[in-house]
Amino acid sequence: MDKTIIGIIGMGLMGKMVHACDTKAKAEGLRDEFSDNNNIVVFEDGYGVSRSSDYIIYSVEAEAIDKVVAEYGRATKKHAIVGGQTSCKAPEMAAFERHLPADVEIVSCHSLHGPHIDPRGQPLVLVKHRASQESFDLVSRILSCFDSEYVYLSAQAHDRITADTQAVTHAAFLSMGTAWCANNQFPWEHSRYIGGIENVKCNITLRIYSNKWHVYAGLAILNPSAKQQIKQYAQSVTDLFKIMLGGHKAELEKRVKTAGQAVFAAGRQGEPLLLSDDVLDRFSLGKVPKEKTPNNHLSLLAMVDCWWKLGIVPYDHMICSTPLFRLWLGVTEYLFRKPALLDEVINIAIDDNTFRSDDLEFTFAARGWSDCVSFGDFLSYRDRFEQIQSYFAPRFPEATRIGNEMIKVILEKS
């Protein structure tokens, strides 16, 4: 292993971990950045990396993986190992099988966390797609420097589980940001969006919008399971909102509690909650009011309804869960496993119109994101994402800092 040369094609936030390259325009800047590190050699493009490296990682977005592998794959060193770390493995594996020489082995990976999260103890998926055990063991040893927890999956199982744990989670937060932007709201400036569950909504929404758009677009658009789930989330939001508008309390109560029973089965009742009141109140972007404004939490009710409709039990995938998913599961669990709070939310949904305009925009947003994903429209996805990203950008540094602290706490508890 001492003589193994690792190559990275694509040195974005998750790629700076070495023979390496990015686009030609970035070559000189990367050479300057790593000039003090004799172990990193920056090439002009992927040809040099492919010809000289024993284990090559394609660290490019899922949308571009086929184009990039088609360009450099044929230059891969004989008997080398190739992998990628995209969030959607179906197009990645198709690109490798289509463009790599037959003597090249394929072992892929995916770190289930963002670039600013400590990888120690976080799930790291390894996919042994076309490789000997010796080569697979070599990749395992190389990646052991992250001190992550290995999860061994096929490409198909990886895509199904990441859809279960990430696709709808992202859709919910993207929709919240879209709704706040449409209402010209900075939620931390309004007392009704400060404290408790609202803190998680605000912090994680800003955290998602502070990242690159393609991080979420690839998973949503290229993963067939994700499309179905995002569509169901939009449908759940729409159905519940219509029931609220109609004032059908009995129907809402039955649907919400049936979904809650399916997702948070009786066997979970003795387990401690992932999030507590003090944790929820601790991380706020604004001053927590003495009295919180009641909220019907349509986004949370729809999440559990969606899981129920799709037959997803989120606890089944905790070993592959991201920090954001654990936070989102934590707040839904907090609501649904507190009967008095859930009853209060149902009453508010029927009797209180305070959040009605917000819920209307949220419903439009959820359906809009679902349509964008269903059409496979990367350009529209990027335009929508970056427009809202620019609206919230001034608060990203503070939200990232508070979000990191919040994630640290929940990781300690899960």
Side-chain angles (χ1 to χ4, degrees), residues 110-184:
H110 181 203
S111 293
L112 295 176
H113 59 83
H116 303 297
I117 298 293
D118 186 341
R120 290 175 294 183
Q122 294 300 310
L124 172 56
V125 174
L126 292 182
V127 179
K128 181 183 176 184
H129 188 71
R130 188 177 81 193
S132 66
Q133 189 60 43
E134 180 182 4
S135 295
F136 187 69
D137 291 342
L138 173 61
V139 173
S140 298
R141 291 197 300 273
I142 291 171
L143 299 180
S144 65
C145 61
F146 295 122
D147 288 332
S148 296
E149 293 290 332
Y150 287 146
V151 181
Y152 305 105
L153 297 172
S154 67
Q156 294 82 359
H158 166 276
D159 284 355
R160 178 178 55 81
I161 291 173
T162 52
D164 287 355
T165 57
Q166 296 185 50
V168 182
T169 305
H170 298 160
F173 289 114
L174 290 172
S175 299
M176 284 182 223
T178 304
W180 288 328
C181 181
N183 278 334
N184 197 27

Side-chain angles (χ1 to χ4, degrees), residues 305-318:
D305 188 84
C306 175
W307 284 334
W308 167 51
K309 291 291 186 181
L310 293 170
I312 295 172
V313 179
Y315 299 101
D316 291 347
H317 300 319
M318 289 299 282

Side-chain angles (χ1 to χ4, degrees), residues 76-367:
T76 305
K77 183 178 180 180
K78 192 173 183 179
H79 302 307
I81 310 166
V82 171
Q85 56 173 350
T86 67
S87 58
C88 185
K89 293 304 177 190
E92 181 182 300
M93 294 305 160
F96 288 158
E97 290 176 351
R98 188 179 298 120
H99 303 299
L100 293 178
D103 59 61
V104 172
E105 299 183 87
I106 303 171
V107 180
S108 268
C109 62
H110 181 203
S111 293
L112 295 176
H113 59 83
H116 303 297
I117 298 293
D118 186 341
R120 290 175 294 183
Q122 294 300 310
L124 172 56
V125 174
L126 292 182
V127 179
K128 181 183 176 184
H129 188 71
R130 188 177 81 193
S132 66
Q133 189 60 43
E134 180 182 4
S135 295
F136 187 69
D137 291 342
L138 173 61
V139 173
S140 298
R141 291 197 300 273
I142 291 171
L143 299 180
S144 65
C145 61
F146 295 122
D147 288 332
S148 296
E149 293 290 332
Y150 287 146
V151 181
Y152 305 105
L153 297 172
S154 67
Q156 294 82 359
H158 166 276
D159 284 355
R160 178 178 55 81
I161 291 173
T162 52
D164 287 355
T165 57
Q166 296 185 50
V168 182
T169 305
H170 298 160
F173 289 114
L174 290 172
S175 299
M176 284 182 223
T178 304
W180 288 328
C181 181
N183 278 334
N184 197 27
Q185 292 175 334
F186 293 107
W188 54 86
E189 295 178 353
H190 298 265
S191 60
R192 61 183 179 176
Y193 282 116
I194 298 175
I197 291 173
E198 309 299 344
N199 286 344
V200 174
K201 291 180 182 178
C202 290
N203 283 311
I204 303 307
T205 296
L206 292 186
R207 187 181 190 86
I208 284 178
Y209 276 107
S210 70
N211 287 322
K212 301 289 187 181
W213 67 274
H214 64 74
V215 172
Y216 309 105
L219 169 62
I221 293 175
L222 298 176
N223 188 325
S225 296
K227 288 186 178 181
Q228 175 193 5
Q229 293 175 18
I230 293 169
K231 183 177 181 179
Q232 179 57 56
Y233 183 69
Q235 190 62 53
S236 292
V237 170
T238 303
D239 290 348
L240 293 175
F241 184 57
K242 287 180 178 179
I243 295 171
M244 292 177 187
L245 283 179
H248 306 303
K249 181 178 178 181
E251 182 182 356
L252 180 65
E253 184 172 23
K254 180 180 179 181
R255 180 158 176 169
V256 166
K257 291 190 174 180
T258 300
Q261 181 60 28
V263 174
F264 304 101
R268 295 287 311 173
Q269 294 305 313
E271 297 290 328
L273 292 171
L274 292 173
L275 292 174
S276 60
D277 290 296
D278 68 304
V279 170
L280 287 170
D281 280 334
R282 194 188 314 170
F283 304 104
S284 177
L285 286 168
K287 185 177 180 180
V288 179
K290 292 181 179 179
E291 292 188 14
K292 298 171 186 173
T293 304
N295 191 337
N296 62 49
H297 294 302
L298 175 59
S299 60
L300 295 175
L301 299 182
M303 179 62 64
V304 176
D305 188 84
C306 175
W307 284 334
W308 167 51
K309 291 291 186 181
L310 293 170
I312 295 172
V313 179
Y315 299 101
D316 291 347
H317 300 319
M318 289 299 282
I319 188 63
C320 288
S321 62
T322 63
L324 295 190
F325 175 75
R326 273 169 271 183
L327 272 171
W328 196 225
L329 176 58
V331 292
T332 55
E333 177 192 70
Y334 179 88
L335 171 58
F336 275 81
R337 287 181 56 195
K338 290 194 168 189
L341 178 58
L342 186 60
D343 287 339
E344 177 186 297
V345 164
I346 292 170
N347 289 331
I348 292 165
I350 299 299
D351 301 327
D352 191 329
N353 291 326
T354 304
F355 284 86
R356 204 64 89 209
S357 63
D358 300 60
D359 291 338
L360 177 63
E361 290 293 353
F362 180 76
T363 303
F364 289 157
R367 294 171 70 93

